[in-house]
């Protein structure tokens, strides 16, 4: 049985924290997406996270902390650059990859000699971690492969009955996961674009390595193991159509008609501005292109929205790959397994 704890339920939050401390699994809101938390130093609890998600065991977890002092038991050293980044972006959507301390179980790091750590900004996340008095390993709280959850009901859809608690903190404000930055290498490298943009990082520490690893081929071993899996996917096939707006709309409408003639139902993923331009049975806007952060905040909700319909295929517009748009397009391309029509 999974218990839902509402934002104003002080007693419930305390019980969930106590549960976390004793090896139970607690899903909680962060500013990026909901996380599925377990005591990071409890191997049995960490293993249950992999089971509940159906996650491959070679994909390591991020450890969440609420106090800077928690770092010392988790990492071997704190490089000077890390201090600057932590000052600038913690609490917030930046995950740093450190050399791990021997105390961190292999189950978390999937056998790597590094550990990914972040301090989330969401006040309920911070309170839960403080109350539990443990570091909290937490992947996104979705079944493996599905779009990440940005509301408590998304978590319940995927994990109800598999975990002890879900803390409902309302919708996540950022909507895409944290940026994962490797600082164990001479030039820091973005392993996953996210809530803190490349420009924001470079303004603080200077040049960052080109993230060629983000477009991995099958025979290349990505530095961030999670990047090789099918991810964020709605049930229906997803195809991105990229090009000049007018042409994209025309092409998508033509593709929708074509599918209709074959007796198939097509959906369209778009932005608020272009919604009316489509003639399709299901049209879902992720947000507004005038406010790229709204596209990030609405992306996973939109992808999950198609699962509530019976569409056979989804066509999506491509969005600007600037700022937070880098993270949005990274997730969209993964959700589409790289299928893009350029016109
Ligand atoms: O915003 C977020 O980061 C959310 C919330 C819940 O905090 N968490 C999240 O966790 O997205 P997850 O497990 O869905 O993604 C973790 C990513 C994966 O791509 C994983 O491979 C990478 O971080 N990762 C974890 N530890 C790593 C390490 N030691 N070295 C390189 N990549 C690592
Ligand atoms: Mg995830």
């Amino acid at each position: 049985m999974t218990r839902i704890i509402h934002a104003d339920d002080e007693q419930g939050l305390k019980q969930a924290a106590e549960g976390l401390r004793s090896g139970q699994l607690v899903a909680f809101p962060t500013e990026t997406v909901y996380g599925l938390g377990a005591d990071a130093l409890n191997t049995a609890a960490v293993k249950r996270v992999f089971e509940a998600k159906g996650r491959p065991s070679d994909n390591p977890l991020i450890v969440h902390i609420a106090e800077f002092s928690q770092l010392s038991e988790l990492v071997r050293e704190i490089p000077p650059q890390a201090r600057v980044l932590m000052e600038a972006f913690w609490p917030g959507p930046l995950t740093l990859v450190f050399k791990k301390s021997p105390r961190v179980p292999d189950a978390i790091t999937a056998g790597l000699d590094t550990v990914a750590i972040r301090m989330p900004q969401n006040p309920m996340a911070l309170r839960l971690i403080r109350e539990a008095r443990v570091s909290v390993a937490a992947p996104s709280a979705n079944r493996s492969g599905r779009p990440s959850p940005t509301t408590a009901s998304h978590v319940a859809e995927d994990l109800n009955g598999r975990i002890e608690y879900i803390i409902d903190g309302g919708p996540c404000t950022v909507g895409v996961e944290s940026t994962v930055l490797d600082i164990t290498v001479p030039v820091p490298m973005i392993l996953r674009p996210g809530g803190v943009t490349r420009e924001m990082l470079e303004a603080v520490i200077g040049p960052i390595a080109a993230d060629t690893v983000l477009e991995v081929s099958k025979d290349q071993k990505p530095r961030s193991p999670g990047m090789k899996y099918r991810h964020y996917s709605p049930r229906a096939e997803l195809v991105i159509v990229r090009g000049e707006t007018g042409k994209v709309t025309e092409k998508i409408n033509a593709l929708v008609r074509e599918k209709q003639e074959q007796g198939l139902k097509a959906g369209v993923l778009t932005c608020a501005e272009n919604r009316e331009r489509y003639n399709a049975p299901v049209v879902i806007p992720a947000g507004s292109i005038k406010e790229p952060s709204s596209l990030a905040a609405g992306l996973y909700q939109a992808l999950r929205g198609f699962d509530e319909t019976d569409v056979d295929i989804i066509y999506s517009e491509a969005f600007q790959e600037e700022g937070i748009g880098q993270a949005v397009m990274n997730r969209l391309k993964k959700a589409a397994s790289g299928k893009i029509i350029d016109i």
Side-chain angles (χ1 to χ4, degrees), residues 32 35 55 59-60 62 64 114 116 118 139-140 177-178 192 224 226:
T32 59
R55 179 178 178 112
N59 190 2
I62 295 171
H64 296 63
T114 55
R118 89 175 186 101
S140 50
E177 295 85 346
S178 63
R192 178 179 72 179
S224 183

Side-chain angles (χ1 to χ4, degrees), residues 33 53 55 59 139-142 144-146 148-149 177 192 231-232 300:
V33 301
K53 279 188 58 106
R55 179 178 178 112
N59 190 2
S140 50
N142 50 287
S144 203
R146 299 214 63 211
S148 302
E177 295 85 346
R192 178 179 72 179
H231 253 128
Y232 320 114
Y300 291 136

Side-chain angles (χ1 to χ4, degrees), residues 13 153 198 240 253:
L13 191 81
S153 47
R198 163 188 289 273
I240 300 169
N253 277 327

